[in-house]
Amino acid sequence: METIKRTKVKDLLKSEPGQDVLAKGWVRTKRGNKQIKFISLNDGSTIYNIQIVADTSKFEESLLQKITTGSSLAVRGKLVESVGSGQAVEIQAAEIEVLGECDPVRYPLQKKDTSLEYLRTVAHLRLRTNTFGAILRIRHNMAFAIHKFFNDNGFVYLNTPLITESDAEGAGDMFEVTTLDLTKVPMKDGVIDYSQDFFGKRTSLTVSGQLEGELGATAVGEIYTFGPTFRAENSNTPRHLAEFWMIEPEMAFYDIADNMALAEEFVKYLVQYALDNCMDDLKFLNDKYDNGLIERLHSVLGVQFQRVTYTEAVDILEEAVRNGHKFEFPVHWGTDFQSEHERFLVEQHFGKPVILTDFPKDIKAFYMKQNEDGKTVRGMDVLFPKIGEIIGGSEREASLEKLEKRIDEMHMSRKNLEWYIDTRRFGTVPHSGFGLGFERLLLFVTGMANIRDVIPFPRTPKNAEF
């Protein structure tokens, strides 16, 4: 059988009939009668299966009984025109080898629809379903598109550390990294003696590569990071993960307007790439889970994102309340917007993506550039339909004096930040950046409702299986 080189299913479906072929994959379904069996085979290369037609007189009954949903096969045969509807070609089997049997009683993935909630309990097998095959292929294409966009625009890919002593967000929800024996933690003067730990100091998993990214931007101009980040936030919502992936570009000599323009160009590029390269998988997800998905993807491409200040947005939301709209969370100047507020602005008021700017400085991070009014900062959030915030960023504070004052106002420790402050001492420049949550992007592109369904192995409170 190995004298013929294996051809992937996605290529077989586009091939001309009449040739001998070798296909390998997993059985999705088997049906038929005593004379003939129809086997749907999928190898993960496409959402579509290829049909194997097996004349039962040519195969031992014991072999055919081993062909069950989930079993893996190697099939050699003739690629012929399909007499059925749905695909142009099928394989008339000459030889079938069962590579791996699958107990049909114990195998948790059967032909019937299985809930996404159940599939999360068998995450080691859910990747074999059509849904998660589609999601994995889209996830791959989006990752490739991200690297391609930044490479084609002259950015340098920077690997920032996963283990750090700094809290870029100031939130404190970090996973600690230690080799200390937790049954006998060394103490000194009533506090943990981290000098005996592996790094000689207290360290955690990173919540962001931004601060280190700024070092790269002030050296080579434009950089981007793309890697895992971690938040020890005890949040069990459909939009939060404890481990997720972030894309964080940082650009020297960019002001807030340049930053907004890049963010808009970037997400439009990614959406267009998905439409151009993932249409088979998008159609499947559109038909199965969200029949407005493809239309919504197209809807963000042909419009300019609406620029709105935070203050203007508060006025819009307060006017909506006066007109009878009910929000679960109250809104007034100085509050941090919730997803319901963001989605109202995008979906009901403007009907297109929105970029919010000029936030109250008290609800934003210490590194954001302060406006002349002394009350607001040059932050920006990109808001998308169904998602809310998909990108968060800002122009960074370039003034040494203002940055130091803000750190003191927020009672942050200078001890772990002197290296960062140095960038304002030695050749400071205007610079900007933003962060795109990769899984938030995938929620939008796939139409899935829960962020746990767009990452292969979700990490959430009380959940670190597989």
Side-chain angles (χ1 to χ4, degrees):
M1 187 176 287
E2 292 297 336
T3 56
I4 303 175
K5 186 178 179 180
R6 173 206 169 203
T7 305
K8 289 187 176 182
V9 170
K10 70 174 181 179
D11 297 320
L12 286 171
L13 294 174
K14 300 174 186 175
S15 299
E16 289 295 321
Q19 53 189 304
D20 288 332
V21 295
L22 173 63
K24 296 181 181 181
W26 294 269
V27 175
R28 286 288 196 257
T29 62
K30 183 182 76 170
R31 60 185 177 83
N33 51 44
K34 290 183 178 181
Q35 288 76 41
I36 196 165
K37 300 295 182 186
F38 300 98
I39 303 161
S40 291
L41 200 69
N42 189 286
D43 63 1
S45 62
T46 173
I47 194 69
Y48 300 116
N49 308 320
I50 190 160
Q51 180 165 274
I52 311 298
V53 182
D55 183 342
T56 58
S57 65
K58 297 180 180 179
F59 301 96
E60 296 289 337
E61 177 62 24
S62 59
L63 173 73
L64 295 174
Q65 287 179 351
K66 293 177 182 177
I67 300 174
T68 60
T69 297
S71 61
S72 57
L73 308 180
V75 179
R76 187 181 68 79
K78 181 78 73 175
L79 192 69
V80 299
E81 289 187 25
S82 178
V83 295
S85 61
Q87 60 186 40
V89 292
E90 60 190 20
I91 299 175
Q92 285 185 344
E95 295 179 50
I96 299 177
E97 179 184 354
V98 177
L99 301 175
E101 296 181 39
C102 184
D103 184 343
V105 176
R106 296 184 58 196
Y107 187 53
L109 307 177
Q110 298 300 324
K111 183 179 179 181
K112 66 182 188 303
D113 273 349
T114 307
S115 73
L116 294 172
E117 290 78 9
Y118 171 73
L119 289 176
R120 289 178 210 134
T121 69
V122 289
H124 59 305
L125 293 172
R126 71 174 182 166
L127 305 182
R128 297 189 190 182
T129 64
N130 286 335
T131 294
F132 286 93
I135 289 168
L136 285 185
R137 286 186 293 270
I138 292 172
R139 187 180 174 103
H140 159 76
N141 274 280
M142 289 296 89
F144 177 81
I146 286 162
H147 286 295
K148 179 171 172 54
F149 174 85
F150 285 120
N151 179 74
D152 291 352
N153 282 278
F155 282 63
V156 173
Y157 179 34
L158 183 71
N159 300 119
T160 53
L162 298 185
I163 299 173
T164 180
E165 62 173 334
S166 63
D167 179 2
E169 299 298 320
D173 297 323
M174 303 178 75
F175 291 103
E176 199 162 315
V177 175
T178 182
T179 57
L180 295 177
D181 185 346
L182 299 183
T183 63
K184 44 187 176 182
V185 177
M187 306 294 289
K188 185 176 182 180
D189 299 328
V191 297
I192 297 174
D193 183 7
Y194 285 103
S195 67
Q196 297 187 45
D197 207 347
F198 185 89
F199 293 106
K201 60 184 69 176
R202 186 177 187 177
T203 56
S204 302
L205 294 176
T206 185
V207 299
S208 169
Q210 180 204 313
L211 302 189
E212 295 88 351
E214 289 186 49
L215 306 183
T218 54
V220 294
E222 292 107 6
I223 66 92
Y224 74 103
T225 75
F226 188 1
T229 51
F230 309 86
R231 304 281 170 92
E233 183 180 354
N234 189 18
S235 182
N236 275 296
T237 79
R239 300 170 72 242
H240 289 89
L241 292 166
E243 175 188 281
F244 55 98
W245 288 66
M246 285 279 285
I247 302 96
E248 297 179 290
E250 289 289 328
M251 299 77 64
F253 313 112
Y254 274 51
D255 62 18
I256 186 66
D258 299 323
N259 203 25
M260 289 189 288
L262 180 72
E264 179 170 349
E265 179 187 1
F266 178 46
V267 290
K268 284 181 173 178
Y269 177 92
L270 296 179
V271 170
Q272 186 64 64
Y273 192 93
L275 289 168
D276 290 344
N277 295 277
C278 307
M279 185 53 76
D280 287 345
D281 291 320
L282 291 175
K283 283 180 179 177
F284 170 80
L285 296 172
N286 184 94
D287 295 344
K288 187 171 178 63
Y289 294 103
D290 181 354
N291 61 13
L293 172 61
I294 293 175
E295 180 183 355
R296 193 162 55 251
L297 292 175
H298 281 289
S299 74
V300 304
L301 297 176
V303 296
Q304 182 176 11
F305 295 179
Q306 184 72 43
R307 270 74 164 162
V308 184
T309 68
Y310 170 90
T311 301
E312 291 169 339
V314 170
D315 291 341
I316 291 168
L317 294 169
E318 289 180 337
E319 178 68 19
V321 172
R322 286 193 294 271
N323 290 335
H325 190 90
K326 296 190 185 309
F327 292 113
E328 180 181 353
F329 296 94
V331 60
H332 55 81
W333 204 94
T335 57
D336 207 354
F337 288 168
Q338 302 296 317
S339 178
E340 61 174 343
H341 305 135
E342 296 167 343
R343 291 186 60 182
F344 176 87
L345 292 169
V346 173
E347 297 168 17
Q348 298 188 45
H349 187 80
F350 289 108
K352 60 180 177 178
V354 171
I355 305 182
L356 281 181
T357 61
D358 300 313
F359 297 89
K361 70 177 184 179
D362 292 337
I363 63 172
K364 289 297 182 180
F366 74 96
Y367 49 73
M368 293 192 181
K369 183 173 180 62
Q370 298 178 42
N371 285 317
E372 299 304 319
D373 60 15
K375 299 189 302 179
T376 61
V377 291
R378 294 183 193 175
M380 67 153 201
D381 286 351
V382 180
L383 313 181
F384 260 32
K386 284 200 75 175
I387 304 298
E389 180 193 337
I390 196 169
I391 283 178
S394 72
E395 184 174 344
R396 314 311 190 189
E397 183 56 75
S399 163
L400 173 63
E401 178 185 358
K402 288 183 178 179
L403 183 66
E404 290 183 314
K405 182 180 178 182
R406 188 67 183 136
I407 290 171
D408 292 339
E409 285 176 356
M410 297 181 71
H411 307 293
M412 298 177 67
S413 171
R414 289 279 296 269
K415 180 182 176 183
N416 298 338
L417 286 172
E418 285 301 326
W419 59 270
Y420 178 74
I421 297 170
D422 267 355
T423 59
R424 276 66 170 178
R425 294 190 178 107
F426 308 126
T428 187
V429 297
H431 62 291
S432 301
F434 60 80
L436 168 66
F438 190 39
E439 283 72 28
R440 290 277 180 94
L441 168 73
L442 289 167
L443 278 180
F444 181 75
V445 172
T446 64
M448 303 304 287
N450 194 312
I451 202 165
R452 302 176 194 203
D453 296 327
V454 294
I455 191 168
F457 306 104
R459 297 289 179 253
T460 54
K462 306 293 190 248
N463 178 39
E465 281 80 11
F466 317 111

